[in-house]
Amino acid sequence: MTAVAAPAHENPLIEGLERLPVHPTVLVIFGGTGDLAHRKLLPALYNLAHEGALPERFELIGIARREQDHSDFRAVARESIERFSRRKPNKDVLEGLLADMRYLPGRFDDDRVYARLKRTLAEFDDKAGQPLNRIFYLSTAPEFFPVIAGELGRTGLNQAERAETRIVIEKPFGYDLASARQLNAQVLEEFDESQVFRIDHYLGKETVQNLLAFRFANALFEPVWNRNFIDYIQITAAEDIGIGGRAGYYERAGALRDLVQNHMMQLLALLTMEPPTAFEANRLRDEKLKVLEAIVPPSTDEVAEMAVRAQYAAGVVGGVRVSGYREEDGVAPDSRTETYAALRLHVSNWRWAGVPFYLRTGKALARKVTEIVVTLKPVPHLALRSTGSVGVQANQIILTLQPDEGATIQLGAKIPGTGMRIRPVNMEFRYGTSFLSESPEAYERLILDAMRGDATLFTRNDEIEALWGIIDPILTAWREDTSSPIPQYPAGTEGPDEAKSLLAPRHRWNRL
Amino acid sequence: MPQDLWTARDTTPDDVEAALRNLVRRAHATDETLAPARVLNLVVVIEARWQELIGQRLAAVGRYHASRTVLCTVHDGRDTLDATAAISYEEIRNGIGVVLEQVEIDIGQEHLDFIDTIVDPVIISELPTVLWCPRGPDEVINRLMRLTDVILLDSDDQPEPGEALHRADQLLDSAYVVDLAWLRTTPWRERVAASFDPPWRRPALDQIAEISVRHQGRSRASALLWAGWIASRLHWDPAPLRAPARGGGLEGKAARPETEVGVKLEPTEMPTPGLAGVTLACEDGFSLSLDRAAGGLCAHRRSPDGHKATWKVLGASRGEGGILGEGVRQALLRDPTYGPALDAAREFCPV
């Protein structure tokens, strides 16, 4: 008989299993009645339960200010799951998940809440006959993050005997570099870095993780993935809708904080980092950190040359007239919050020196699309004439994250006929045609990873600070500039003309 | 799901392939968001009497269907090929509509001698090809082996599990085998692995004194594979099981260093194929039982001090349609533990 031997300290039964074990866990959601819990977290937990992916012993506690009892919370959770789950709930699984769900009402700074939480956790441990791992998921307004972390530390809930304790912190992690540093310090006063899971749900998306597979599992791309072959790279995260009812949040955040500092910079890091020696949390994050540190933050004086901000004005999106940003409910008529941001960044290292990275994001643009366009340098000598055709264009590798997940390689090909005329053609790979299975929601993957203690897809403290370090001078320059007019772009267009000023000669923004 | 169809009597494989290409081209010309799925070919060869049953199972695979399915139905006395080629498209999701292709070819017994030349032109050669011949003769599998990357089989389908496992072992030399009987044990393997995963509980794996597997009467192969799995993972040395003097099932021993582990397979009444429950008992009095229940598995644990606990482990049953779909999905993956489990299961088989 042959068998694959596992080292003595490992569980020999996990070899070959697609779904690795998760230890018995109690998940405590602070902000359990909030929008994120309602739309994402509770449906994700149901889907994990449906697939048999939750730990064998799993308990859930919701904490929020709303006065209600356990059964009210279960009713709300049922509604969330029935409405937002990606699959129709199985009655027995749903009932099983809801059966012993608990709710603790109270303010996040109220000692009595933590005393009750402690009792409930002990009760669950007793019921299970073993200490359960504890995950505290902070799905609250950011001002409560230090409050909750502090209370958990003060009441001794930041650690447990014979069980792991982890804290998951939603974005935004900080408002600028100083606040991010302060929050890191406050959280790390109570928890060890290995216990802290800063979530950016973008990293849980299959297509974002596939960037790593695309780069490091294919010999085709890595040889050209450097300054010798790549002319420039642009990353676009465009939305065709305005701010909707989120004026309160958006007026404080703006496009730079909302998307660039986290999602887009993460894409940039994954796109430019060196290959990690292993797909393991700290190895991967070390490489991301290195490349983020190679992006030299601009001085305040340089910001005007490398960053453009704008706001959408009234226009037409998809045939529908929409108001301008300053006319939206809840937005100040003289608001200077950007709904569009474009940047030109440089990664100052051996691989990328001299290659501009153009990032742009905006609301109320012509189309919803998130994509990375890698434009290669033109061929050094062209024997073919371009008469009678659009000619030879630089190759582009386009990685689309949404709405149509896939990759396109743009090549020059001969137009059929007697002449040697060339035009660009597309070689396309679409996820939907090669993987007929449905991808799990990002939150399903991330919750499971947090329960397993795998921090690979979470952001480390030094990484967070490096991300803010790049963005902070731009925020400062824009905050201090209270007089120059904010460029306006009509809703439904490609964005402001001013964004073209960031581009080097011959470079262009790809059409949305 | 909209569908376009081509059908012909007394046709050739080349015509079928050309028809498929035309259907796809026409669909794309009508709507450029339609693109053909390119995952794997699934070739199914069955006798005409199983056509309806297998058709129902294929229809129930859910989202894990092959991108091109080629169903060859063998009829007595037929000497021509009749064929239907069809494409169907899923609703447009994320900007594309995914086109699935289905081919049905009615063939005669006499075609079986050269069935590979009929199938070869209608599969996409650059994609992996999965062969499923439920209740089909071995000659068909041998004929198609040169085109095959993965063989899908169900060891629970055979009346004699020993022969079924022997056949699976033989096929494993020529192609990757996805055994539905093995996939029926997946939740049971995952849950037992999870129960012993906390480091403080792992030492109990070295103290297992008895395992018992409860299974549907027709799923003895699944039960043997589960027992073979744990034996191979823990380096036990299995011995052939025997029918007990009274009652059904099988029982016997596996050797582990300095002692033995009792092994019991107990058939039980249940409507669907697969396992009904497993129990692992340790020398110190610890035991864990998992039993099938609505919405998951019911777990019972007895601690060495006699303390008992019962709880439910959540999870929805995939059903038999789901198992076949899972088989198609697994064709693109590789499980290194099936081979060793199969070896051990064969050693457990009664002589």
Side-chain angles (χ1 to χ4, degrees):
Chain A
M1 184 177 70
T2 54
V4 185
H9 60 280
E10 288 184 3
N11 175 359
L13 302 183
I14 63 171
E15 173 78 22
L17 293 180
E18 208 180 332
R19 189 171 293 134
L20 294 173
V22 186
H23 293 184
T25 299
V26 54
L27 178 67
V28 181
I29 303 178
F30 286 88
T33 57
D35 199 48
L36 182 71
H38 185 54
R39 286 172 181 272
K40 297 290 182 187
L41 303 183
L42 291 164
L45 287 167
Y46 170 77
N47 280 299
L48 291 172
H50 186 104
E51 286 168 6
L54 285 181
E56 62 170 21
R57 308 297 295 254
F58 176 77
E59 308 289 355
L60 180 69
I61 302 170
I63 300 182
R65 275 173 295 187
R66 186 185 303 167
E67 278 298 332
Q68 60 178 10
D69 61 18
H70 303 313
S71 60
D72 294 331
F73 182 58
R74 287 173 203 147
V76 172
R78 180 193 302 278
E79 192 207 324
S80 301
I81 292 164
E82 286 173 345
R83 190 160 162 214
F84 294 111
S85 165
R86 66 186 166 89
R87 57 160 66 91
K88 190 174 184 308
N90 170 298
K91 183 176 164 293
D92 293 320
V93 177
L94 181 55
E95 293 307 326
L97 182 67
L98 297 172
D100 204 14
M101 214 177 253
R102 305 291 178 89
Y103 180 77
L104 303 178
R107 291 164 51 97
F108 301 134
D109 58 356
D110 184 344
D111 290 352
R112 290 170 298 179
V113 170
Y114 296 88
R116 283 203 298 271
L117 174 59
K118 213 171 197 173
R119 283 199 297 276
T120 309
L121 291 170
E123 187 192 326
F124 282 143
D125 286 354
D126 283 348
K127 192 176 83 171
Q130 64 181 94
L132 303 178
N133 284 353
R134 295 163 181 183
I135 307 258
F136 300 110
Y137 197 121
L138 275 49
S139 169
T140 65
E143 60 262 33
F144 295 115
F145 296 165
V147 176
I148 297 166
E151 288 287 343
L152 289 170
R154 206 177 53 72
T155 53
L157 285 166
N158 55 348
Q159 52 192 339
E161 255 185 71
R162 291 178 62 211
E164 303 286 340
T165 300
R166 302 186 184 106
I167 184 167
V168 178
I169 304 177
E170 264 296 335
K171 82 174 182 87
F173 195 94
Y175 186 73
D176 53 19
L177 178 60
S179 62
R181 277 184 177 149
Q182 189 184 0
L183 181 55
N184 262 336
Q186 287 166 320
V187 171
L188 293 175
E189 206 164 292
E190 312 297 348
F191 291 87
D192 183 77
E193 175 62 29
S194 63
Q195 295 176 280
V196 184
F197 289 69
R198 298 169 193 82
I199 207 164
D200 179 347
H201 74 273
Y202 228 58
L203 290 176
K205 285 177 181 281
E206 292 282 334
T207 40
V208 174
Q209 292 165 53
N210 193 50
L211 278 178
L212 296 173
F214 191 79
R215 282 194 60 198
F216 301 132
N218 296 290
L220 182 65
F221 301 109
E222 196 53 23
V224 300
W225 215 253
N226 56 57
R227 65 189 302 275
N228 297 323
F229 293 92
I230 291 178
D231 196 3
Y232 63 102
I233 291 180
Q234 57 184 267
I235 303 175
T236 300
E239 293 186 55
D240 55 358
I241 54 170
I243 57 159
R246 297 169 71 218
Y249 161 77
Y250 208 84
E251 273 285 88
R252 286 199 309 275
L256 204 58
R257 287 190 182 90
D258 189 40
L259 276 174
V260 179
Q261 181 272 336
N262 35 60
H263 304 332
M264 297 182 75
M265 292 301 291
Q266 287 286 356
L267 291 181
L268 177 60
L270 294 173
L271 202 62
T272 54
M273 67 184 226
E274 293 301 313
T277 49
F279 192 65
E280 185 264 316
N282 278 333
R283 306 269 180 94
L284 187 82
R285 298 190 294 183
D286 285 347
E287 295 303 337
K288 277 162 63 185
L289 179 66
K290 266 191 248 174
V291 83
L292 290 171
E293 286 178 342
I295 300 172
V296 182
S299 67
T300 315
D301 295 344
E302 291 166 335
V303 167
E305 291 163 19
M306 54 73 67
V308 165
R309 62 175 159 168
Q311 292 173 328
Y312 63 85
V316 180
V317 180
V320 178
R321 291 197 174 280
V322 298
S323 312
Y325 177 66
R326 288 175 174 177
E327 290 123 44
E328 299 272 17
D329 283 344
V331 174
D334 57 352
S335 169
R336 298 182 65 78
T337 301
E338 78 284 359
T339 65
Y340 177 98
L343 313 181
R344 183 184 63 237
L345 297 172
H346 287 274
V347 180
S348 300
N349 63 15
W350 195 284
R351 187 190 281 262
W352 295 112
V355 178
F357 291 83
Y358 303 114
L359 280 62
R360 64 176 163 169
T361 182
K363 296 274 186 195
L365 293 170
R367 201 161 72 88
K368 178 183 173 67
V369 63
T370 304
E371 68 178 16
I372 296 160
V373 180
V374 178
T375 304
L376 273 65
K377 289 184 173 171
V379 290
H381 170 71
L382 191 62
L384 311 171
R385 291 182 161 285
S386 59
T387 317
S389 72
V390 295
V392 177
Q393 295 183 0
N395 297 132
Q396 287 193 325
I397 300 167
I398 303 168
L399 306 170
T400 313
L401 279 74
Q402 62 176 1
D404 181 7
E405 303 156 277
T408 301
I409 299 179
Q410 211 167 69
L411 307 162
K414 180 183 173 297
I415 300 171
T418 51
M420 194 62 188
R421 294 170 303 164
I422 309 291
R423 79 165 174 85
V425 293
N426 287 351
M427 235 170 80
E428 298 205 19
F429 153 70
R430 290 287 165 264
Y431 257 82
T433 62
S434 295
F435 299 95
L436 295 175
S437 56
E438 193 182 353
S439 298
E441 285 278 327
Y443 277 100
E444 292 170 34
R445 167 71 193 261
L446 294 172
I447 291 171
L448 209 52
D449 280 0
M451 286 199 277
R452 277 202 200 104
D454 181 350
T456 308
L457 300 177
F458 295 83
T459 315
R460 206 167 56 190
N461 57 346
D462 46 8
E463 205 182 331
I464 281 277
E465 292 180 15
L467 289 165
W468 277 117
I470 298 162
I471 297 302
D472 212 46
I474 306 169
L475 289 170
T476 305
W478 286 356
R479 189 179 60 240
E480 288 173 356
D481 173 10
T482 55
S483 57
S484 56
I486 306 282
Q488 305 286 306
Y489 59 96
T493 63
E494 302 268 320
D497 283 344
E498 285 82 351
K500 290 178 188 157
S501 69
L502 301 177
L503 302 173
R506 292 187 298 104
H507 295 178
R508 62 183 174 86
W509 288 110
N510 263 35
R511 211 170 62 208
L512 290 177
Chain B
M1 197 184 272
Q3 199 175 50
D4 290 343
L5 204 71
W6 169 93
T7 186
R9 301 179 74 87
D10 195 7
T11 186
T12 67
D14 283 345
D15 285 347
V16 176
E17 198 274 338
L20 262 182
R21 259 188 292 120
N22 276 334
L23 288 171
V24 172
R25 192 180 299 145
R26 224 165 48 206
H28 187 71
T30 313
D31 181 347
E32 65 177 16
T33 62
L34 295 177
R38 290 292 175 254
V39 184
L40 52 79
N41 305 295
L42 174 62
V43 176
V44 186
V45 184
I46 48 162
E47 291 177 32
R49 61 189 165 130
W50 304 116
Q51 190 172 16
E52 191 180 340
L53 180 69
I54 297 303
Q56 285 167 357
R57 289 191 70 179
L58 285 171
V61 295
R63 68 175 74 103
Y64 298 123
H65 30 63
S67 43
R68 181 175 287 186
T69 304
V70 180
L71 175 62
C72 298
T73 308
V74 186
H75 299 263
D76 286 334
R78 170 179 285 277
D79 57 6
T80 57
L81 302 182
D82 290 354
T84 301
I87 59 167
S88 53
Y89 10 105
E90 287 193 325
E91 61 185 272
I92 292 177
R93 198 175 56 182
N94 296 335
I96 54 166
V98 178
V99 175
L100 302 172
E101 300 151 301
Q102 298 90 33
V103 177
E104 291 183 21
I105 309 178
D106 291 327
I107 62 175
Q109 286 284 348
E110 66 182 51
H111 293 116
L112 292 180
D113 289 341
F114 45 88
I115 188 170
D116 53 327
T117 65
I118 296 171
V119 170
D120 196 350
V122 289
I123 58 175
I124 302 165
S125 52
E126 65 267 28
L127 295 182
T129 296
V130 181
L131 175 62
W132 185 35
C133 295
R135 300 160 204 255
D138 286 352
E139 303 85 76
V140 173
I141 296 175
N142 295 338
R143 278 279 169 205
L144 288 168
M145 195 59 89
R146 73 174 178 87
L147 305 174
T148 301
D149 300 285
V150 178
I151 293 175
L152 190 64
L153 55 79
D154 188 350
S155 294
D156 282 334
D157 257 356
Q158 303 284 336
E160 179 44 59
E163 284 174 22
L165 298 177
H166 174 65
R167 181 66 179 136
D169 192 44
Q170 282 180 324
L171 292 170
L172 207 50
D173 289 337
S174 314
Y176 181 66
V177 170
V178 173
D179 188 343
L180 301 185
W182 171 248
L183 298 185
R184 289 189 188 98
T185 69
T186 303
W188 307 90
R189 286 183 282 123
E190 286 178 346
R191 283 305 172 187
V192 168
S195 296
F196 287 92
D197 198 57
W200 48 270
R201 195 175 281 162
R202 283 180 209 168
L205 289 170
D206 295 329
Q207 296 173 15
I208 294 175
E210 185 173 287
I211 59 168
S212 60
V213 191
R214 297 168 288 286
H215 61 92
Q216 194 213 39
R218 282 174 39 221
S219 294
R220 186 178 279 179
S222 286
L224 285 162
L225 284 166
W226 187 87
W229 166 72
I230 196 154
S232 63
R233 297 311 312 152
L234 299 178
H235 307 288
W236 299 344
D237 195 3
L241 305 179
R242 294 176 183 178
R246 272 186 289 178
L250 294 171
E251 59 185 38
K253 305 272 183 204
R256 66 174 171 84
E258 296 171 20
T259 185
E260 289 181 324
V261 180
V263 178
K264 271 189 196 166
L265 271 57
E266 301 166 299
T268 185
E269 287 289 319
M270 59 184 266
T272 51
L275 305 189
V278 298
T279 299
L280 299 98
C282 293
E283 289 160 355
D284 64 357
F286 171 85
S287 75
L288 174 75
S289 291
L290 298 168
D291 289 283
R292 202 180 270 258
L297 304 178
C298 186
H300 308 271
R301 188 183 62 207
R302 192 184 63 212
S303 303
D305 62 4
H307 178 260
K308 290 180 183 173
T310 299
W311 70 95
K312 173 153 338 153
V313 183
L314 298 175
S317 169
R318 286 175 294 198
E320 275 301 286
I323 287 286
L324 181 58
E326 180 63 12
V328 173
R329 192 178 77 87
Q330 288 288 331
L332 295 169
L333 304 172
R334 294 294 179 265
D335 184 344
T337 59
Y338 173 68
L342 180 62
D343 287 345
R346 290 187 59 213
E347 290 177 55
F348 276 130
C349 284
V351 182

